[in-house]
Amino acid sequence: MPSQTTQGVAWLSNFRPDDAPAAQQLIDSLYFFSSTTFRQGLTKHLQTVLTDTAPEERPAALYSVQSLRAHATMFQDGLLPLVSGPGGSELIVQNIARAAEREFNNTMVSNQMTTLEVLKERRVRRLVFLSDYAGSGDEAIKYALTWLRNKTIRSWRSLKLVQLHLVLFAASTAAHDRLTAGPWYDRVHVLHCGMDFPYADWEQSERKHIGTVCNTYAHSKDTAHGWGDSEGLVVFDHTIPNNLPLIVRQTKGPSVRGKWVPFFRNRTAPQELMQSLSDYRPDFNRQRRLRAIRQPRLATASQLQTTERSEMAKIIDVLAHVAARRRHPAQLAASLNISIPTAMEIIQLAQRLGLLDEQTRLTDAGWQELRRARRSPRRVASTLHGSTEPYYPSQLQGSR
């Protein structure tokens, strides 16, 4: 666990004894994604987005989301959509886009769309922007505006000749809601949603204490809960997102030791730490999540139903959260600690079984299944009692 690493033990020494448990719970709730998991996950997600489209929405042009100067306009003043220089995570994402361009034929994805003239010549129907993570959503929004300031792109979009799509490996719940509700993108495709304070596996008192610790020990109160107060808990091999709580990534701050001992160093992490925590996930407490949505009987029954198939358990969990009015796949994914495509698959399976309707509401059969799952398994007590009397078959007792 992060708190058991050398860096974690040293970092926890910054806090007073009464605050150390909350700080420990915070870093043990982080999600660590290795470079392999990230590349494979984003590549597969992008392939699904590209293939699951109608012919009239093809071909697509792929670009990596990047931070650009304020009020910039794409294809003006020498600005081109290719990542230049070191790039960091932006360059990694661009390499994933280039690999996808080589894999698909030109009817689905157009290669090297670096000028407005080529976009027009190839009659590109979708501009697909890729990124690793959206914490507040600011960067993805600013990048879309860079394109929409170009009057030609804006005209194409208003005439429905081109669409703007955003493909994300992960997003906080705040960023997901902001991006999907806003006017900047026609579609937003997110693989993982949540992994932030609102969906952390904490009790209310624990959440309050962790928030207090973040405020108390941060050297800047403005970003104590991460950029835009987005309260993220995601860490990548290639970058440390700035929406993590500041105490996790700061290099100075109030410490009982006198000098702050950092866990991460701003936007980088020691290689040995990332290797030891490769693809670390905090434990998922199913019973606590069920109690949080006021399903105590189901939580108790699930502890006793040890032989229940995991597939059925996931369906029951989805039914329980839908009953709590969490019907959107992103909400279910964040609540159940699964990917959004997995949540959609479970929803579709429940619909085929007649447990959910087309509007993702419980049917009568769904309510009946949920009531059945709330019942604790029947316990049968044995009525046999041992005896020290010698055993002699009754059918032989009358023979001589």
Side-chain angles (χ1 to χ4, degrees):
M1 299 177 73
S3 63
Q4 297 170 333
T5 62
T6 302
Q7 292 84 353
V9 172
W11 179 77
L12 288 172
S13 66
N14 293 306
F15 304 92
R16 295 191 302 268
D18 56 330
D19 289 333
Q24 177 179 346
Q25 189 171 17
L26 172 61
I27 61 170
D28 285 342
S29 299
L30 297 176
Y31 293 75
F32 288 76
F33 287 99
S34 67
S35 58
T36 300
T37 299
F38 164 67
R39 287 177 180 272
Q40 291 179 348
L42 184 57
T43 298
K44 185 176 180 181
H45 185 46
L46 175 60
Q47 290 172 344
T48 302
V49 171
L50 292 175
T51 55
D52 190 22
T53 55
E56 60 270 16
E57 295 180 353
R58 302 171 184 173
L62 311 181
Y63 303 100
S64 173
V65 173
Q66 53 182 310
S67 297
L68 300 173
R69 62 182 182 273
H71 308 297
T73 302
M74 190 58 67
F75 302 119
Q76 292 185 11
D77 300 323
L79 181 61
L80 296 176
L82 294 181
V83 177
S84 58
S89 61
E90 301 166 348
L91 187 58
I92 294 174
V93 173
Q94 181 171 271
N95 292 337
I96 293 174
R98 291 290 176 264
E101 287 179 348
R102 292 190 295 269
E103 180 178 351
F104 290 96
N105 57 52
N106 287 334
T107 61
M108 188 172 294
V109 179
S110 289
N111 299 322
Q112 301 295 321
M113 298 290 97
T114 57
T115 66
L116 198 59
E117 290 72 21
V118 177
L119 284 173
K120 182 178 181 180
E121 178 186 348
R122 301 283 180 85
R123 297 190 177 185
V124 169
R125 297 304 183 191
R126 283 193 302 165
L127 303 176
V128 180
F129 304 147
L130 286 73
S131 186
D132 52 358
Y133 183 65
S136 63
D138 284 348
E139 186 178 62
I141 291 171
K142 291 177 181 177
Y143 188 70
L145 290 174
T146 301
W147 286 78
L148 293 174
R149 288 190 192 98
N150 187 297
K151 63 180 182 180
T152 301
I153 298 295
R154 192 166 60 249
S155 174
W156 289 351
R157 191 186 186 209
S158 66
L159 294 173
K160 301 187 182 303
L161 297 176
V162 70
Q163 294 181 348
L164 270 63
H165 287 230
L166 179 64
V167 178
L168 295 168
F169 178 82
S172 68
T173 49
H176 179 274
D177 294 344
R178 184 184 181 192
L179 290 167
T180 53
W184 309 284
Y185 291 98
D186 298 286
R187 287 283 303 277
V188 178
H189 312 266
V190 181
L191 181 59
H192 298 285
C193 186
M195 297 177 288
D196 48 20
F197 281 29
Y199 285 92
D201 201 7
W202 304 332
E203 299 288 355
Q204 190 61 36
S205 59
E206 296 170 338
R207 190 183 312 278
K208 184 178 180 180
H209 193 184
I210 291 171
T212 301
V213 168
C214 290
N215 292 327
T216 302
Y217 292 88
H219 77 80
S220 173
K221 306 306 178 185
D222 294 338
T223 56
H225 290 246
W227 180 262
D229 290 331
S230 47
E231 301 180 323
L233 296 171
V234 176
V235 178
F236 291 100
D237 232 355
H238 57 270
T239 187
I240 308 298
N242 64 358
N243 77 316
L244 285 173
L246 188 57
I247 60 173
V248 177
R249 52 189 173 86
Q250 68 187 11
T251 56
K252 60 181 180 180
S255 170
V256 297
R257 294 171 54 118
K259 184 178 180 181
W260 183 264
V261 179
F263 186 61
F264 299 127
R265 294 186 178 275
N266 289 320
R267 305 296 297 273
T268 61
Q271 191 61 35
E272 63 273 13
L273 175 65
M274 301 305 294
Q275 290 176 350
S276 63
L277 295 175
S278 178
D279 289 325
Y280 166 83
R281 302 286 184 278
D283 291 334
F284 176 74
N285 191 320
R286 183 188 178 202
Q287 285 71 38
R288 179 181 287 190
R289 295 293 177 100
L290 290 172
R291 292 189 180 95
I293 57 172
R294 299 181 181 180
Q295 293 282 355
R297 290 174 56 196
L298 182 58
T300 302
S302 67
Q303 286 180 305
L304 301 175
Q305 294 166 345
T306 56
T307 59
E308 188 175 21
R309 293 185 299 115
S310 60
E311 293 83 358
M312 195 61 202
K314 291 178 180 178
I315 293 177
I316 294 299
D317 285 351
V318 165
L319 297 182
H321 282 79
V322 169
R325 298 185 178 181
R326 296 180 177 179
R327 295 161 51 190
H328 194 278
Q331 291 178 311
L332 294 171
S335 300
L336 301 175
N337 204 20
I338 57 179
S339 68
I340 292 180
T342 300
M344 294 175 66
E345 290 175 1
I346 298 174
I347 290 173
Q348 292 168 1
L349 177 58
Q351 289 172 336
R352 289 197 297 269
L353 294 174
L355 305 176
L356 294 175
D357 62 16
E358 293 299 321
Q359 287 74 41
T360 319
R361 295 176 299 197
L362 285 168
T363 62
D364 290 341
W367 283 111
Q368 182 177 355
E369 185 64 31
L370 192 56
R371 286 192 291 269
R372 183 203 65 78
R374 289 176 182 148
R375 294 196 295 265
S376 298
R378 181 182 177 186
R379 293 183 176 182
V380 180
S382 174
T383 57
L384 298 177
H385 300 282
S387 175
T388 58
E389 295 291 328
Y391 171 72
Y392 194 75
S394 58
Q395 64 267 29
L396 301 178
Q397 291 178 2
S399 60
R400 293 289 186 269

